[in-house]
Amino acid sequence: MNPEICFESSSSGLLEPAREFLCSIWPLYPEEEQLSLGDPIFSNRTVLVGTNLPESEESVLELPKAGTYVVELRYPNGASLRSTIVVVEGERYRYLVPTSKQQVFKKSSPPPSPNGVPRVLSAALKSVGLQAPDLEIKSVPQKNVIPLKNLREFVTEIDSSSRENEIVARVLTADLTFSMVLPNGVVHSFRNGYDRKWLVISSRGKSQTLVAYPFGWAGRDGDAFSLSMNRVAEDGVEATKWSVFLKLMDPVYGSLVEHLTRRDVQSSVGISQSLRGQATSALYEKEDNPFAAVAAAYLFALNRSDLESGREWMENLCNRFEWLPDGPIALGWKLLRNGGRNTETWREARNLFIASLGRGLPYYTVGLHILVEALTTLLMADPSDKEVEGMLTDMRAVDVACVRDEPFITFQVQKFLGLPVKY
């Protein structure tokens, strides 16, 4: 039996969805009084790592023989980890992989259960009238399309008692971390009457974070998303400042969109073309999951592929889901990159960006960044375009208020409300 490496998450007790890491391994050989690297045994090989992942062949790599090896892992968020290990013949080496966002605990506070903190109150208790819980998560419906010019009004009124908000979780006294799997729902038609949903995370009665929630994402194993939060302290000013992370449970899609957030097209394509990643052909099945289709559209828009090869289905994505802002952004960016200044192609791209803003904030953070860059490019080409100038001013305000490295729009409410808007 050849030696093996088994990759495991070091986040004991925390809910960490499985992700596809890119792994490269080189043997180390003694050469005179030094060690030298041999040819790679594995180069950008995908391995699965996650706390919610049972032991799987996709988490294990077999080495040719015992010896010393250099192991490099590339995280979906762009970080990398390189270390030297020594493996023994016939044994399995357990390689503990630290997560990209390591949580910090007080010694007196044990890590929460992967199923959530026991002090969570169900939605049925929302009428009890508890005041200022330490942490509250609500699902806020958006019945109609809210264009960018009405965003401030919507954000201001998210705590209105007249809204039919659903309490997802309420934690009376929270520890430094909180994790839970979000209950998924079935959407019978994304084309007819889809109501957008937002996750609102509040602390002690004050809304802090608004997250674009792709409700109805067709997860292959049922639940599609997990929500994790952490804070620095349980008392004082830092106690109300929660960092929020919405994660896809599916390792293929989750890894792909996290690479996509950094606009790492090469890694995204590598993930989508991996053996297990063949399932990403479902990205193009728009009727069942337009959110996944949009991820494919962004990947296509950022890649240097021919426009005509995918333009028709991108146009269909824009036209069939009139509530979805991301479709016009992806197609508009592709047109902008493939056209010339002041051409008909650029004018078409401009109209698509205007259409996207009429549909509201995009779901994907990469879409927000693309939109800011696109409007900046258009304004540089035509400084007299006041409409684009006004939209760019407001999009920059939104950009400042959003967490840049989260895959889905994660919006800091108070920061946004404190910024000027000129739309």
Side-chain angles (χ1 to χ4, degrees), residues 4 41 85 136 156 183 194 245 249 269 282-283 343 375 381 397 400:
E4 297 174 332
I41 299 171
I85 65 171
E136 185 175 73
T156 303
Y194 178 79
F245 317 112
M249 301 289 285
V269 171
L283 290 172
T343 62
L375 294 175
V400 168

Side-chain angles (χ1 to χ4, degrees), residues 60-342:
V60 178
L61 294 181
E62 182 178 316
L63 298 173
K65 61 181 180 179
T68 305
Y69 294 88
V70 174
V71 179
E72 181 181 71
L73 286 176
R74 290 177 57 195
Y75 289 72
N77 71 349
S80 62
L81 175 69
R82 178 175 287 196
S83 55
T84 302
I85 65 171
V86 177
V87 296
V88 179
E89 192 69 35
E91 293 187 4
R92 173 172 289 184
Y93 185 97
R94 289 182 65 224
Y95 192 107
L96 295 181
V97 181
T99 60
S100 55
K101 295 183 175 70
Q102 287 292 309
Q103 313 287 355
V104 180
F105 302 102
K106 281 186 173 181
K107 292 182 179 179
S108 60
S109 300
S113 163
N115 296 321
V117 177
R119 289 188 292 272
V120 176
L121 301 182
S122 70
L125 297 180
K126 62 188 295 184
S127 61
V128 172
L130 296 173
Q131 297 297 316
D134 214 1
L135 178 63
E136 185 175 73
I137 304 164
K138 295 181 292 188
S139 174
V140 177
Q142 178 189 312
K143 296 295 184 182
N144 302 304
V145 171
I146 298 176
L148 179 66
K149 63 181 179 181
N150 299 126
L151 178 63
R152 179 173 288 262
E153 179 183 354
F154 172 73
V155 172
T156 303
E157 295 180 353
I158 55 175
D159 289 323
S160 172
S161 59
S162 62
R163 290 191 174 275
E164 298 178 0
N165 300 334
E166 176 189 356
I167 296 179
V168 178
R170 180 185 277 139
V171 189
L172 297 181
T173 306
D175 293 318
L176 294 179
T177 66
F178 176 78
S179 301
M180 68 178 297
V181 175
L182 293 173
N184 202 3
V186 177
V187 176
H188 296 290
S189 174
F190 282 102
R191 295 179 65 177
N192 300 314
Y194 178 79
D195 292 336
R196 185 168 183 170
K197 291 183 181 291
W198 297 84
L199 294 174
V200 179
I201 291 83
S202 304
S203 180
R204 300 180 185 176
K206 188 175 183 180
S207 293
Q208 299 288 336
T209 308
L210 194 66
V211 182
Y213 181 30
F215 180 80
W217 182 295
R220 288 182 293 174
D221 300 319
D223 296 320
F225 289 93
S226 69
L227 189 68
S228 300
M229 286 151 286
N230 63 40
R231 58 181 174 174
V232 175
E234 295 180 12
D235 301 303
V237 177
E238 298 297 327
T240 61
K241 297 179 180 179
W242 290 90
S243 299
V244 180
F245 317 112
L246 179 65
K247 300 291 186 181
L248 269 167
M249 301 289 285
D250 185 277
V252 177
Y253 291 126
S255 301
L256 188 147
V257 299
E258 287 173 22
H259 284 299
L260 193 59
T261 303
R262 298 184 297 105
R263 297 166 75 162
D264 184 351
V265 175
Q266 182 178 0
S267 296
S268 297
V269 171
I271 291 294
S272 65
Q273 292 179 348
S274 68
L275 181 61
R276 293 185 329 99
Q278 291 175 3
T280 55
S281 60
L283 290 172
Y284 299 91
E285 297 174 3
K286 297 182 287 293
E287 300 297 332
D288 295 331
N289 196 339
F291 304 113
V294 161
Y298 280 131
L299 186 58
F300 179 75
L302 293 169
N303 208 344
R304 296 191 177 278
S305 53
D306 178 57
L307 173 64
E308 297 307 318
S309 63
R311 177 165 179 166
E312 182 178 356
W313 76 264
M314 291 180 74
E315 289 177 342
N316 290 337
L317 185 63
C318 295
N319 297 330
R320 292 178 185 177
F321 307 101
E322 297 181 354
W323 51 268
L324 186 60
D326 300 75
I329 296 174
L331 180 55
W333 183 250
K334 193 66 174 177
L335 290 171
L336 201 68
R337 294 183 68 190
N338 282 262
R341 178 179 296 191
N342 298 325

